[in-house]
Amino acid sequence: MKKTWKLDDILPIGQFGNLYREIENDLEKMRKYVGELKPDISKEKFKEILEFSEEEEEKMARLGGLPGLMEAVNQKDAEAKLLKSKVENLALRWSEVGIKMSLWIKGKRKPKLDDKNAKRIFGVITDLEYGLKRSRLLAKYSLPEHEENIIVNKDVNGMGVLEELREMISAEMEYEIEIDGKKKLIKTQSELLALVYDPRDEVRRVAYQALLLKQKENLPKFFAIYQAVIKDWNYEMKLRGYKSAIAVRNLANDIPDEAVEELLGSCSKNRGIFQEYFIWKAMELGKEKLERSDVYAPIVKKEKKYTIEETKELVLGSLSQFSDKFYKFGKELIEGQQIDWMPKTDKRSGAFCATISPKIKPYIMLNFTGKQRDVSTLAHEAGHGIHSMYAAGHYPSTQNASLPLAETASTLAEMILFEEILLREKDGEIRKAMLSDKMADAYATVCRQNYFILFEKEAHKKVPQGLRAEDLSDLYFKNLKDQFGESVLVSPNFRYEWSYISHIFASPFYCYAYNFGELLSLGLYARYKKDPKIWRGRIERILEVGGSKNPNEMLRSVGIDIRRPGFFQESFDIIAGWQKQLTKI
């Protein structure tokens, strides 16, 4: 079995130049189309322009997707970086034309599109209607054309380069640890972070020490980059007229501010569930109090290892429990050449699923080490891919769901897998260990992500006012103390942990997608368990919609109201139930 992905479905590398020139030539045609935009444009002509624009979006996704995935598995790949640079330059030229069309749709460019004509033409392609109407509703946040062009160039040539620099700094780090008197050099962050799940106290402790020491050594670099990210985000926020830093993300997700605040408040209020778990875990490990390095410690000393084949069998078996279609899509991903499995030097850490276009099966990057959480990671990322495949009937711009709904299938796939493995396991101690790991995972996905957002809200207020790197680290440490309370002993070096959280650099306020998605999926899964016949179909409808409808309205159509006070509490009750089970085993 091949352990690397095959990217030819995106674009054979030898054809990169041909596609590049094709898109370059199409640019002139798009300019002519933009020149034909006027309030009384015929429906047929507007449809023709929209379809051409979508075709070009798909071509650009393929052109950029190839070097993007090449670079993900080798961050020093010079050819990937060259091709990526070419794509960025071409994208900038296209954006100049795209901005003209976008502003015209919003009624911000002459000849001005009035509301009556907008209503007349926006329905020519039903799949794109929601996006067109939404674009017009958000017109007040748009800037004049020349300013929009400046911002696009700034994002690519300024902030984009800073993010690449941060990734390069992280990828070049090597970690020297000493265990049982033996020194070992670890060359990737992924390999190091795998050790925080080791059953041995010493191994977990030295792994965290090595990680945080490197972060501290490079703190001035990370702080300089993060300062720039925050100042850039907040400057543009004010320039466009958003009311807060997080509102920028909320509007992008089309999630009401009050729903996000309800989420954050509910997660903070329920942190006691996880604090109870940490107190229980300390007793299981024979400790007076849990240390921060113990949070992900297994409660059994011997951890089961899985081969890739065993992992595939487990995940596919669990996916088949939900529906034939869910299983079919999962099998196409897992048994095809869509996955890059193994960790290696200069490979990006973590895992992700990349959707290129509706015509191409998604790709999954893993750093597989054979542990049970690697099995869960495959289920999670396969869930993302399955979601994209459910929504493959849409145009490229409407295939992907907004961020909070984008976690629905991934979390669902993890839940099904967990119950499948738990059902198979007959040993009571191992079942207890699995349930403990599930609580630790729920902490990581719900509580931890929530506190990242709370930290970001504070950082985005304080950094523009003037702050030192150590001051920001103090803010983060205070955040940790509030999160854990008296249940966990947090050593001072964890104050530097913020500097390796990639999302706060690359996508500010992204992280609430995880706790939103986890809690929403838990609620959906609980309903599915009570009435599989009805809720299987409703969940599949959510997945099929992609990004073609308002997420709040889509959920309401299946009986879910995310604005309702207490909605998220139902999911926390499920998590609290797991903790009660643990205390009874």
Side-chain angles (χ1 to χ4, degrees):
M1 185 204 89
K2 294 219 177 232
K3 297 178 183 176
T4 56
W5 50 31
K6 183 181 178 183
L7 303 181
D8 284 357
D9 287 348
I10 301 175
L11 180 68
I13 196 163
Q15 294 180 20
F16 180 91
N18 291 337
L19 184 58
Y20 184 95
R21 286 185 290 274
E22 182 182 327
I23 298 172
E24 203 171 29
N25 292 333
D26 288 343
L27 183 55
E28 189 54 41
K29 186 175 181 180
M30 192 65 197
R31 285 197 180 100
K32 290 178 181 176
Y33 271 140
V34 169
E36 296 179 58
L37 293 172
K38 52 187 179 179
D40 62 350
I41 189 172
S42 71
K43 290 182 180 181
E44 292 75 21
K45 175 58 70 173
F46 188 58
K47 182 179 180 181
E48 182 184 326
I49 294 172
L50 289 177
E51 288 185 331
F52 181 76
S53 176
E54 291 290 324
E55 287 170 11
E56 295 307 305
E57 181 171 334
E58 196 269 342
K59 289 178 186 177
M60 282 296 296
R62 287 168 54 214
L63 197 71
L66 176 65
L69 293 183
M70 288 168 61
E71 187 183 40
V73 296
N74 181 3
Q75 293 189 298
K76 292 184 179 178
D77 187 332
E79 184 176 20
K81 290 185 181 299
L82 174 63
L83 298 181
K84 186 178 175 182
S85 176
K86 288 184 175 182
V87 173
E88 288 172 350
N89 290 334
L90 181 58
L92 282 174
R93 289 159 61 194
W94 264 90
S95 72
E96 292 176 6
V97 182
I99 285 169
K100 293 179 191 294
M101 182 171 171
S102 174
L103 289 173
W104 182 81
I105 286 169
K106 293 173 181 177
K108 303 278 282 187
R109 187 174 188 272
K110 294 180 180 179
K112 186 176 179 180
L113 177 64
D114 57 278
D115 289 341
K116 183 179 178 181
N117 277 302
K119 186 177 180 180
R120 176 180 63 85
I121 63 174
F122 279 3
V124 292
I125 299 178
T126 305
D127 198 46
L128 304 181
E129 187 173 8
Y130 159 67
L132 291 169
K133 287 180 176 178
R134 177 164 162 70
S135 179
R136 198 165 173 87
L137 284 172
L138 297 179
K140 66 179 181 179
Y141 301 110
S142 296
L143 301 172
E145 186 176 327
H146 70 284
E147 292 180 24
E148 291 287 1
N149 281 318
I150 290 170
I151 284 176
V152 170
N153 276 270
K154 176 266 299 176
D155 287 344
V156 172
N157 297 319
M159 302 312 297
V161 174
L162 277 180
E163 175 55 19
E164 281 187 24
L165 180 62
R166 186 195 65 79
E167 289 183 350
M168 287 170 65
I169 293 168
S170 297
E172 288 175 354
M173 287 181 184
E174 294 183 344
Y175 308 89
E176 189 173 279
I177 63 172
E178 185 174 328
I179 301 171
D180 297 329
K182 295 180 181 178
K183 290 185 178 180
K184 182 180 180 181
L185 184 66
I186 296 179
K187 295 192 173 184
T188 70
Q189 195 177 89
S190 291
E191 288 179 83
L192 182 73
L193 290 174
L195 298 179
V196 306
Y197 304 100
D198 195 277
R200 294 165 292 177
D201 283 7
E202 180 194 4
V203 173
R204 296 192 303 273
R205 196 174 294 115
V206 298
Y208 272 121
Q209 285 172 350
L211 172 72
L212 297 168
L213 177 62
K214 284 290 182 182
Q215 295 303 127
K216 182 180 179 181
E217 287 174 357
N218 289 276
L219 192 66
K221 299 173 189 173
F222 290 123
F223 180 66
I225 294 170
Y226 193 48
Q227 263 192 316
V229 168
I230 288 178
K231 289 179 179 180
D232 175 75
W233 185 271
N234 282 266
Y235 177 76
E236 192 171 329
M237 171 201 81
K238 291 174 183 175
L239 199 63
R240 294 185 181 279
Y242 292 100
K243 65 181 182 181
S244 69
I246 196 171
V248 181
R249 178 65 66 195
N250 297 347
L251 279 162
N253 290 339
D254 205 1
I255 297 291
D257 288 347
E258 57 265 35
V260 175
E261 290 306 312
E262 174 68 22
L263 169 73
L264 299 179
S266 187
C267 289
S268 297
K269 185 177 74 173
N270 282 282
R271 66 189 182 280
I273 296 171
F274 299 105
Q275 291 174 2
E276 285 179 27
Y277 164 67
F278 296 138
I279 292 168
W280 171 88
K281 190 169 190 175
M283 291 190 293
E284 284 292 314
L285 294 175
K287 296 192 169 198
E288 187 175 330
K289 184 179 282 192
L290 212 63
E291 294 179 45
R292 173 60 185 84
S293 57
D294 300 325
V295 164
Y296 303 117
I299 60 171
V300 291
K301 295 296 181 185
K302 186 178 180 182
E303 184 176 13
K304 185 173 180 179
K305 297 284 281 186
Y306 296 86
T307 65
I308 288 177
E309 287 304 318
E310 288 171 333
T311 298
K312 287 164 63 175
E313 185 269 328
L314 267 174
V315 172
L316 288 174
S318 65
L319 297 180
S320 69
Q321 301 298 313
F322 183 68
S323 77
D324 291 342
K325 199 171 185 180
F326 212 73
Y327 168 74
K328 174 181 175 291
F329 288 152
K331 187 175 182 180
E332 288 177 20
L333 289 174
I334 291 170
E335 294 195 342
Q337 272 189 264
Q338 309 302 118
I339 303 177
D340 194 279
W341 288 85
M342 308 305 292
K344 48 184 172 273
T345 304
D346 297 323
K347 184 176 178 178
R348 181 173 157 182
S349 62
F352 66 78
C353 176
T355 294
I356 306 298
S357 90
K359 298 176 183 177
I360 299 168
K361 292 185 184 73
Y363 285 86
I364 294 170
M365 190 202 81
L366 303 174
N367 278 281
F368 185 81
T369 58
K371 298 190 175 182
Q372 185 169 312
R373 68 183 52 258
D374 292 324
V375 183
S376 296
T377 298
L378 175 60
H380 182 95
E381 300 305 339
H384 280 304
I386 290 166
H387 196 159
S388 292
M389 293 169 81
Y390 265 98
H394 294 286
Y395 282 83
S397 67
T398 55
Q399 181 183 16
N400 293 321
S402 68
L403 284 181
L405 292 188
E407 295 298 325
T408 305
S410 56
T411 307
L412 180 68
E414 275 195 84
M415 276 300 301
I416 299 168
L417 172 72
F418 173 69
E419 291 206 344
E420 174 72 9
I421 296 176
L422 199 64
L423 188 66
R424 291 188 184 194
E425 186 55 62
K426 304 304 178 187
D427 187 305
E429 285 302 305
I430 294 178
R431 285 171 62 85
K432 180 166 70 172
M434 288 176 61
L435 205 50
S436 174
D437 287 345
K438 190 62 180 173
M439 280 297 297
D441 288 343
Y443 156 73
T445 310
V446 177
C447 189
R448 181 169 161 83
Q449 303 302 322
N450 192 71
Y451 273 85
F452 286 158
I453 295 293
L454 296 180
F455 168 70
E456 284 187 276
K457 288 180 76 174
E458 193 77 6
H460 278 252
K461 283 181 187 175
K462 298 286 179 66
V463 167
Q465 298 170 7
L467 211 63
R468 295 170 300 186
E470 290 295 338
D471 297 329
L472 186 63
S473 299
D474 286 342
L475 278 178
Y476 185 76
F477 195 62
K478 183 181 177 184
N479 174 286
L480 288 176
K481 298 292 279 185
D482 183 56
Q483 183 180 157
F484 290 113
E486 295 298 317
S487 66
V488 175
L489 184 64
V490 185
S491 61
N493 59 343
F494 275 92
R495 62 205 304 276
Y496 304 114
E497 185 186 33
W498 65 268
S499 64
Y500 93 93
I501 310 303
S502 61
H503 283 320
I504 71 173
F505 291 86
S507 303
F509 303 104
Y510 178 102
C511 290
Y512 76 69
Y514 292 114
N515 44 334
F516 191 109
E518 175 86 358
L519 295 171
L520 173 63
S521 291
L522 281 176
L524 288 170
Y525 190 63
R527 288 165 172 79
Y528 160 73
K529 293 289 285 184
K530 286 180 182 176
D531 195 339
K533 190 174 181 181
I534 289 178
W535 280 95
R536 181 184 293 110
R538 289 181 179 179
I539 290 169
E540 289 188 311
R541 271 166 50 202
I542 292 171
L543 302 183
E544 287 167 355
V545 159
S548 66
K549 293 186 185 298
N550 176 289
N552 187 40
E553 291 176 7
M554 180 63 229
L555 289 171
R556 288 178 69 181
S557 75
V558 298
I560 301 289
D561 184 2
I562 57 174
R563 296 191 194 207
R564 177 173 60 82
F567 166 72
F568 294 106
Q569 188 59 47
E570 296 170 4
S571 297
F572 276 111
D573 291 343
I574 295 170
I575 298 172
W578 295 341
Q579 177 56 28
K580 284 180 182 176
Q581 285 183 57
L582 271 177
T583 60
K584 292 177 181 177
I585 295 177

